[in-house]
Amino acid sequence: MSRVPRADAVSISPTTLAPLKNPTFRSVWIAAQVCNLGTLMQTVAIGWLMATISNSTLTVALVQTSSALPTFILSIFAGAIADNFNRRSVMLATQCLMMAASAMLTTFVALGFVDPSIILGLTFLIGCGTALNNPAWQASVGDIVDQRDIPAAVTLIAVGYNTIRSVGPALGGIVLASVGPLPVFALNTLGYLAPLSATWRCRWKVRTSPLPPESMITAIHDGVRFTALSSEIKAAIARGTLFGLAGISTLALLPLVVRDQLAGGALTYGILMAGFGAGALLGGVCVNHLRRVMSQELLLRLACVACAACCLSLALSPQLAAAAPALALGGAGWVVAWSGLGVNVQLASPRWVVGRTIAIYYAFAYGGLAAGSWVWGTAAESCSLTSALLGSAGALLLVAAAGYLLPVSERPKSDLDASNQFGVPAVALDLTPRSGPIVVKIDYRVPQENIEAFLELMRERRRAQSRVGARHWTLQRDLQKPSQWAETFRTPTWTDYIRLNHRLTTADKELEERVRQLHAGELPPQMKLSIERPTSSPEPR
């Protein structure tokens, strides 16, 4: 019996490598891999250096926390910056920050300052650069590649980072074992020149808005509100947070597995990380085909099971011959899960808010990674390394089972395209962009037989209007004329009202038309625009 392709399979590019035909994406992506190579070499050096200068298993695990925590703290601000400012300029600035922090780390190591607090602090600073850079880069994907290539491009970003693990850690382990950590840190600093150069050379077209940028507070408020009202994004965030919390044990505790269970050195650690990267490469090559024939929810569950099997193998079979294949399986599950969740967030986000939704997703996902590093490090220190890995395996199986309560689903990207059907209404008052608050009232006449269908559509309309900026949305029924209904909402300023209408999608306009079909008046529903004015007396001087 032949397998039936998914309905949306035709909208997915046929191969994972399709976005590399785009010269801009290819240049920036390749440069990112050069940078990733240096970063992963440095990760090996930092992890092993920390394991040699500190006897605390918690301190070793906190290396992962110090790199992940900045994303949890800064992402929402980074997302607002990515949506309000030129994303290319943001990428250039943050890459300079990461290069400067890496240069400081290299200098301190060269001078012999290898205190754990210094290493963790500079790792945190590099993580701040990553937190600010990632939303701008991820949000730029939709500007650089065609819509049908977005899933493959997001997958390539995840695959690129994780497959470099097959080279970076091994190379880092060889350099570390041969000449020590200082050359590794120096090479990583030089590696930041690649993305800086590529981003400087490449320019890509960005859809510009005729409206001025939002204030940071408004931008953050709008991003949080849109995310809170999107069931697809909320499910991806919840599962990503849980997956990061449960699955980070493999990477956070691997230096301890090498040191305590395998009695190995830096080279062994590099070899095992290479196995993880090789699995990520295989998973990345296969995931686009798998996405065309099965749902993202099923893929996520299989990824959780694969990572759980990796943890079980490391806990119960502490031999190098078993650990390397187990890490390959874990690497495949890791990249399938993260790339799929990232694709879901991208496809559920219109262009005006994609930087913020990605940032919020990263904030929670990296928060899960940071918390998981601490949890499993504490478990290993308080109980045992084996117990921590077994606990992580059980948690991953629970994350897979959570799909029955929080399933991830994909929304067709076309549903979120802007309708471009708005003309600014003429008004009799001389308004400035900051005039407001603006009150919108739309009157409907709904016969009794249409009320149930009308209320159902208005529930959808409330979510649609609130997602794009409507505040204090209400639906009112006239007590004296029960067939009369009024929809009201507010926007803080006249500019916010115009921005709201520019954000309405084709699906939102179709919903509006379905509501109008239930209206029974001779004329279409009448809209009234008002501006609030305070009536309180000024305070006496």
Side-chain angles (χ1 to χ4, degrees):
M1 183 176 179
S2 61
R3 179 173 290 180
V4 179
R6 294 176 58 213
D8 59 349
V10 294
S11 64
I12 301 174
S13 55
T15 68
T16 304
L17 302 179
L20 295 179
K21 296 178 182 179
N22 183 301
T24 298
F25 180 83
R26 182 174 64 247
S27 296
V28 178
W29 183 83
I30 291 174
Q33 306 325 305
V34 174
C35 182
N36 289 340
L37 178 62
T39 300
L40 289 167
M41 289 174 62
Q42 181 168 278
T43 299
V44 172
I46 291 177
W48 190 251
L49 180 61
M50 191 68 79
T52 57
I53 66 174
S54 175
N55 293 322
S56 171
T57 56
L58 178 58
T59 301
V60 175
L62 284 177
V63 171
Q64 292 286 338
T65 301
S66 65
S67 61
L69 189 59
T71 301
F72 177 72
I73 297 173
L74 297 176
S75 272
I76 183 60
F77 300 98
I81 291 170
D83 284 333
N84 264 354
F85 299 97
N86 185 283
R87 291 164 183 162
R88 176 175 168 273
S89 299
V90 173
M91 291 168 63
L92 287 170
T94 56
Q95 288 159 8
C96 288
L97 172 63
M98 290 185 283
M99 186 174 181
S102 181
M104 291 175 62
L105 180 59
T106 303
T107 302
F108 278 120
V109 173
L111 296 175
F113 298 120
V114 289
D115 183 82
S117 60
I118 293 176
I119 296 174
L120 290 174
L122 289 173
T123 303
F124 182 87
L125 188 58
I126 295 172
C128 289
T130 303
L132 294 168
N133 182 76
N134 278 345
W137 166 224
Q138 294 270 358
S140 296
V141 168
D143 298 325
I144 296 173
V145 304
D146 294 335
Q147 176 180 314
R148 69 190 302 266
D149 288 336
I150 288 178
V154 174
T155 299
L156 274 173
I157 293 174
V159 168
Y161 177 77
N162 286 285
T163 53
I164 287 294
R165 293 179 190 273
S166 64
V167 178
L171 183 58
I174 292 172
V175 175
L176 181 63
S178 302
V179 293
L182 181 58
V184 179
F185 297 138
L187 288 171
N188 179 61
T189 301
L190 294 175
Y192 285 111
L193 291 174
L196 269 171
S197 175
T199 307
W200 180 264
R201 293 194 319 270
C202 297
R203 298 178 183 272
W204 51 88
K205 185 178 180 181
V206 179
R207 300 176 190 176
T208 58
S209 171
L211 301 173
E214 298 174 274
S215 68
M216 286 296 293
I217 294 177
T218 301
I220 291 171
H221 179 274
D222 287 356
V224 171
R225 181 184 55 224
F226 184 91
T227 302
L229 292 171
S230 171
S231 58
E232 297 92 345
I233 297 176
K234 286 192 295 184
I237 288 174
R239 299 291 291 285
T241 304
L242 294 173
F243 180 77
L245 177 65
I248 191 59
S249 64
T250 302
L251 298 177
L253 301 179
L254 189 58
L256 302 177
V257 172
V258 173
R259 187 188 68 183
D260 299 340
Q261 295 191 169
L262 302 179
L267 185 58
T268 302
Y269 178 55
I271 291 172
L272 291 181
M273 288 293 289
F276 188 92
L281 174 61
L282 179 61
V285 170
C286 297
V287 69
N288 220 50
H289 171 70
L290 295 175
R291 193 176 287 130
R292 293 169 65 87
V293 297
M294 66 177 68
S295 69
Q296 179 56 45
E297 175 58 38
L298 180 56
L299 277 176
L300 181 57
R301 294 180 190 178
L302 292 175
C304 290
V305 171
C307 291
C310 174
C311 290
L312 285 173
S313 180
L314 291 177
L316 303 178
S317 302
Q319 291 90 28
L320 182 60
L327 282 163
L329 180 63
W334 188 260
V335 78
V336 167
W338 287 122
S339 65
L341 291 168
V343 167
N344 274 33
V345 175
Q346 283 264 5
L347 295 184
S349 306
R351 299 308 305 162
W352 65 268
V353 76
V354 65
R356 281 162 281 184
T357 57
I358 289 173
I360 293 171
Y361 162 70
Y362 271 122
F364 281 91
Y366 274 75
L369 294 172
S373 298
W374 178 82
V375 167
W376 304 121
T378 301
E381 189 169 49
S382 303
C383 302
S384 68
L385 186 57
T386 299
S387 298
L389 290 169
L390 290 175
S392 175
L396 282 163
L397 294 177
L398 290 177
V399 175
Y404 292 101
L405 297 176
L406 293 169
V408 295
S409 58
E410 296 179 11
R411 174 196 290 263
K413 182 67 175 163
S414 58
D415 286 355
L416 299 173
D417 292 338
S419 64
N420 297 319
Q421 298 177 4
F422 177 70
V424 179
V427 294
L429 294 178
D430 186 16
L431 300 180
T432 68
R434 297 184 61 82
S435 296
I438 303 299
V439 181
V440 182
K441 181 181 179 182
I442 306 174
D443 292 320
Y444 302 94
R445 181 180 176 185
V446 184
Q448 182 65 34
E449 62 270 18
N450 289 346
I451 288 180
E452 185 175 347
F454 176 77
L455 291 176
E456 182 64 30
L457 290 179
M458 294 307 282
R459 279 189 283 269
E460 294 182 38
R461 183 163 169 83
R462 176 180 183 175
R463 288 193 296 269
Q465 295 288 88
S466 298
R467 277 200 305 262
V468 295
R471 302 187 184 186
H472 308 295
W473 190 99
T474 63
L475 181 64
Q476 304 164 8
R477 189 178 191 182
D478 194 309
L479 290 176
Q480 295 175 319
K481 298 179 180 179
S483 64
Q484 301 292 329
W485 296 77
E487 171 192 2
T488 64
F489 60 87
R490 287 167 170 77
T491 62
T493 68
W494 178 244
T495 298
D496 291 318
Y497 169 73
I498 298 173
R499 183 177 284 118
L500 178 152
N501 284 277
H502 276 289
R503 291 171 175 174
L504 291 173
T505 66
T506 301
D508 295 333
K509 289 294 186 180
E510 291 174 354
L511 174 61
E512 181 179 331
E513 182 58 33
R514 288 159 59 197
V515 172
R516 287 184 177 182
Q517 289 175 1
L518 300 178
H519 171 72
E522 296 181 359
L523 298 175
Q526 299 298 300
M527 182 180 71
K528 298 178 182 178
L529 294 175
S530 307
I531 185 169
E532 289 186 354
R533 283 290 180 259
T535 56
S536 58
S537 301
E539 295 182 1
R541 297 182 179 180

